[in-house]
Amino acid sequence: MSRNSSHNSSRHNAPAAGSGQEVRAAAARALVPVITDQGSLAALDEFSVVARDRSLLKALCFGTCRSLPRLEALASLLLKQPLKRRDSDVQALLLLGIYQLLYLRIPAHAAVGETAGAARLLGKSWATRVLNGCLRRLQRESEALQEEVDQDPNVALEHPAWLLDALRHAWPQQWREIAQANNQPGPMTLRVNRRHLDREAYIEMLTENGFSGTLCPHAPDGITLHTPCDVSALPGFAQGHVSVQDEAAQLSANLLGPALAPRPGARVLDACCAPGGKTAHLLEQFDSALTAIDSDNTRLARVEDTLERLGLKAQLIHADATQNDWWDATPFDAILLDAPCSGTGVIRRHPDIKRLRRKEDIRSLAKLQAELLDSLWPMLRPGGTLLYATCSVLPQENCDQINAFLERTPDAAVTTPEDVAWGQASGSGRQLFPVEGSHDGFFYARLEKRPA
Amino acid sequence: MAKLPILEFPDERLRTKAIAVETVDDDVRRLVDDMLETMYDANGIGLAATQVDIHRRVIVMDVSDDRSSPRVFINPVYTPLGEEREPLQEGCLSIPEYYADVSRALKVHVTALDRHGEPFELEADGLLAHCIQHEHDHLEGVLFVDYLSPLKRDRIMKKMQKRHKQLQDA
């Protein structure tokens, strides 16, 4: 048996990084899969750094991902010749160094010195000189170099060209604001568990504990913190009083309210439930018999953890919602389809989406969403409600998707509310864009099955 | 003394049921010493012979804060005292870096042989009681993750397989 305490930390394989150089080396290693198009930042948790450096590690990695196209453009100006692929860790250090100099309030001498020094920890001492040279030149010629790269709007707005084109095409009025909002970190928004207390009571608890927040204007259980913090520091987090969830994501419970509130014990399906935020919110708010399925077993286990912490119960099934082999043939009163999507509404929270997502993905995601709609619709009872949700801002996944579904599904009627203060009408649904200091980008469409 | 390699979940050998030690001889004492060295080196608080791929009923433990009280249990048998159970966070040298609450009997009565083959009895509670039950489970081929939900166990299994792959690649 072993204990989870400080004295067994020596048995961890990765040495704990402490100094500034070690954090930067860890950040470079975490970024390599992203900049070589081989993976995501998801593995960040596996890097062993001491607790006080963890927030710096996260800030460095997320920030560098968020501004990647611009940092890469600057890097190629600074390097006399491109680095070899096997030196992508050195490239990552250079990007990190540029990011620190231009975007973070880290003293320049530390940003340059610690970053260049980190090359030694990667076993590439030769790169120290290269990095020092490039970063010092950036310090000297910062304005001219930035001006040069910003002539390209894709670089200035820090988005891949295909995505900026798609946004410009879909939202000729708002595309620039959407892109700018994607480049700012999203706020930390909480959802108060109304089975325990209401948000007015909780905001008092927050104030007593030295936090400050504002009640969300649209989500009735939401509080947006003025400064993000570690969840474990939140009063009552372990006891299930509160969860972290964006305001736009909290609206799914509002939208299902008319279908569920008057109908205790209603049979509800959450068709792609992981990681379980919306699942939990529905259970906090309504006394439903909820079935939650997901095709990813690992992510389903996280749903189980979340429900356990919040003291909620649902039937969890590891199943693929495009199939019906798991279904007991009893129709559902309501279905939430929070469909797999491009995530283009939550780029500010997952900046690696900019790099990982490809133009071709949109078509295959739209195809999957259509399959999910077609597969789930027969499971809804006549008179029942299906809520379609995505965290995308692309019409192919949203209004176009629902329009096509309505065309091929004669018994589907639109019941999306029009008299709400959030988002804008978009086809048969409502589109929210990411807003600085406020909610993420989301799309909702509410459909009712006409009685036969 | 020698440090022994520790089997890691989901290695099937951890599922072997151990057989009783007939005589506590020098071979058994050597095993006990090697197990203690292995346990201390890995910063564990308990180790069953099963974990070092020797399927005999031998357990070593040290639950003291200053690592100064090694305990040896050969052919241990325990019975819970009372109905009371309590959850305690457990980890396992065969499942590194994973911890979860497991509910076990709060108090147990143990009989076993010491390193000289002499029988002894012990009433234990708290961490020691938990640890005895955890190590005794190993001798039966049972792991603490068996008490968790299948979903969680599956997730740990994937995590461990990933870890083994990484170690192999490194």
Side-chain angles (χ1 to χ4, degrees):
Chain A
M1 183 156 145
S2 65
R3 267 191 289 194
N4 186 11
S5 54
S6 55
H7 61 76
N8 70 4
S9 61
S10 63
R11 55 193 304 285
H12 290 226
N13 296 321
S19 82
Q21 293 187 1
E22 279 167 337
V23 180
R24 285 159 180 89
R29 286 193 202 99
L31 282 169
V32 165
V34 181
I35 64 172
T36 55
D37 300 314
Q38 287 177 329
S40 68
L41 263 184
L44 212 54
D45 292 340
E46 288 167 21
F47 288 91
S48 158
V49 291
V50 297
R52 74 186 147 83
D53 286 338
R54 188 154 288 284
S55 59
L56 176 60
L57 175 65
K58 211 174 150 188
L60 289 173
C61 290
F62 274 63
T64 302
C65 278
R66 209 173 273 131
S67 304
L68 205 49
R70 191 157 182 265
L71 300 175
E72 285 180 324
L74 285 162
S76 62
L77 280 187
L78 290 168
L79 287 165
K80 284 197 191 74
Q81 55 188 42
L83 289 160
K84 295 190 180 72
R85 196 176 160 81
R86 64 161 186 264
D87 295 322
S88 42
D89 47 356
V90 177
Q91 169 86 5
L93 277 181
L94 179 56
L95 300 172
L96 283 161
I98 302 171
Y99 175 70
Q100 294 167 72
L101 283 177
L102 300 184
Y103 293 80
L104 290 188
R105 271 177 290 177
I106 291 178
H109 64 90
V112 176
E114 304 278 37
T115 306
R120 228 169 282 131
L121 295 177
L122 298 173
K124 297 190 173 166
S125 306
W126 57 266
T128 311
R129 272 184 55 200
V130 180
L131 290 166
N132 263 323
C134 288
L135 294 174
R136 293 215 175 107
R137 185 174 152 217
L138 177 65
Q139 276 182 283
R140 286 194 307 269
E141 302 170 31
S142 167
E143 270 176 40
L145 290 167
Q146 292 192 66
E147 211 167 285
E148 187 173 346
V149 295
D150 287 343
Q151 283 172 8
D152 179 346
N154 297 324
V155 168
L157 283 168
E158 307 182 331
H159 277 61
W162 74 267
L163 181 54
L164 223 44
D165 286 345
L167 290 175
R168 199 184 293 128
H169 180 75
W171 312 108
Q173 306 292 321
Q174 297 103 327
W175 67 278
R176 201 176 277 275
E177 273 169 52
I178 299 171
Q180 279 159 353
N182 286 345
N183 294 338
Q184 301 298 325
M188 181 165 174
T189 299
L190 308 178
R191 183 190 78 235
V192 179
N193 183 351
R194 59 166 75 179
R195 299 230 174 225
H196 284 281
L197 71 176
D198 61 23
R199 64 174 179 174
E200 284 75 16
Y202 190 74
I203 209 165
E204 269 178 39
M205 269 169 79
L206 283 176
T207 314
E208 282 162 22
N209 284 275
F211 297 92
S212 63
T214 309
L215 302 181
C216 289
H218 309 302
D221 299 323
I223 296 176
T224 296
L225 291 181
H226 295 154
T227 315
C229 70
D230 194 75
V231 287
S232 57
L234 291 169
F237 180 80
Q239 293 78 33
H241 292 359
V242 68
S243 305
V244 176
Q245 188 178 37
D246 179 70
E247 182 177 13
Q250 295 186 35
L251 297 172
S252 56
N254 294 18
L255 288 161
L256 282 170
L260 298 184
R263 207 181 293 276
R267 276 176 54 88
V268 183
L269 173 68
D270 186 348
C272 305
C273 67
K278 296 186 190 71
T279 320
H281 195 195
L282 292 179
L283 289 166
E284 286 169 5
Q285 198 150 348
F286 308 111
D287 291 309
S288 312
L290 194 141
T291 303
I293 71 172
D294 202 278
S295 58
D296 184 335
N297 216 359
T298 315
R299 283 170 43 88
L300 197 58
R302 282 179 60 196
V303 181
E304 194 186 27
D305 288 343
T306 300
L307 297 185
E308 208 172 280
R309 179 178 63 83
L310 295 166
L312 302 167
K313 287 234 161 7
Q315 187 192 11
L316 298 185
I317 307 177
H318 175 213
D320 178 351
T322 62
Q323 308 294 318
N324 64 3
D325 49 358
W326 53 271
W327 183 43
D328 65 4
T330 313
F332 291 100
D333 297 302
I335 296 176
L336 169 61
L337 171 54
D338 183 14
C341 72
S342 60
T344 41
V346 293
I347 285 176
R348 57 187 187 165
R349 302 195 191 276
H350 305 278
D352 49 351
I353 288 176
K354 281 182 187 170
R355 188 60 171 234
L356 300 172
R357 204 48 88 199
R358 294 295 142 113
K359 195 179 176 188
E360 313 82 77
D361 295 347
I362 307 305
R363 192 180 307 157
S364 53
L365 283 164
K367 189 165 161 277
L368 173 62
Q369 291 150 3
E371 277 173 36
L372 285 164
L373 281 164
D374 289 339
S375 151
L376 292 167
W377 191 251
M379 300 181 195
L380 189 66
R381 74 163 166 82
T385 295
L386 183 144
L387 182 63
Y388 177 82
T390 71
C391 52
S392 164
V393 292
L394 299 176
Q396 297 97 303
E397 302 179 274
N398 297 344
C399 53
D400 294 357
Q401 179 72 262
I402 294 302
N403 282 342
F405 178 73
L406 290 168
E407 252 169 53
R408 63 179 184 267
T409 316
D411 59 348
V414 178
T415 61
T416 310
E418 286 166 7
D419 54 348
V420 288
W422 47 266
Q424 63 179 62
S426 171
S428 303
R430 280 196 94 76
Q431 180 72 57
L432 297 108
F433 298 120
V435 176
E436 207 182 325
S438 177
H439 56 73
D440 288 341
F442 248 79
F443 175 83
Y444 284 110
R446 193 169 67 194
L447 308 173
E448 191 177 289
K449 195 178 210 169
R450 285 204 187 91
Chain B
M1 300 228 286
K3 220 176 75 187
L4 307 167
I6 299 177
L7 300 179
E8 289 193 359
F9 177 71
D11 194 313
E12 277 306 307
R13 287 171 290 181
L14 287 168
R15 299 308 189 174
T16 317
K17 198 174 150 130
I19 53 169
V21 173
E22 277 181 25
T23 15
V24 180
D25 53 18
D26 283 348
D27 284 348
V28 173
R29 276 186 282 277
R30 194 169 310 123
L31 170 65
V32 164
D33 289 340
D34 289 349
M35 282 173 62
L36 279 168
E37 184 183 346
T38 307
M39 177 189 81
Y40 283 124
D41 177 73
N43 264 311
I45 57 172
L47 185 72
T50 312
Q51 292 174 276
V52 292
D53 202 19
I54 291 170
H55 302 284
R56 313 287 298 278
R57 302 188 84 83
V58 177
I59 291 172
V60 297
M61 258 179 244
D62 186 344
V63 297
S64 68
D65 284 336
D66 56 355
R67 325 288 283 146
S68 62
S69 315
R71 294 170 189 267
V72 178
F73 299 82
I74 298 167
N75 298 341
V77 178
Y78 77 88
T79 40
L81 294 175
E83 299 286 302
E84 223 177 324
R85 296 172 73 79
E86 70 165 0
L88 199 76
Q89 196 183 52
E90 292 189 15
C92 181
L93 295 175
S94 293
I95 310 168
E97 292 167 38
Y98 183 80
Y99 304 91
D101 277 350
V102 179
S103 181
R104 298 191 190 266
L106 180 64
K107 273 188 180 176
V108 294
H109 177 263
V110 194
T111 60
L113 304 178
D114 67 13
R115 60 182 301 134
H116 309 293
E118 296 295 327
F120 70 96
E121 291 180 51
L122 178 73
E123 269 188 25
D125 60 6
L127 179 62
L128 181 60
H130 248 266
C131 192
I132 288 167
Q133 295 169 78
H134 175 115
E135 302 310 334
H136 187 271
D137 271 355
H138 275 303
L139 304 180
E140 299 294 317
V142 174
L143 297 167
F144 83 98
V145 292
D146 298 346
Y147 300 109
L148 309 177
S149 75
L151 272 175
K152 276 191 191 148
R153 196 159 56 239
D154 196 56
R155 176 171 49 164
I156 300 160
M157 177 125 52
K158 292 223 173 83
K159 217 171 153 180
M160 292 294 296
Q161 280 161 348
K162 192 172 157 200
R163 169 187 151 91
H164 294 149
K165 203 178 156 281
Q166 278 173 349
L167 289 178
Q168 231 165 33
D169 293 349

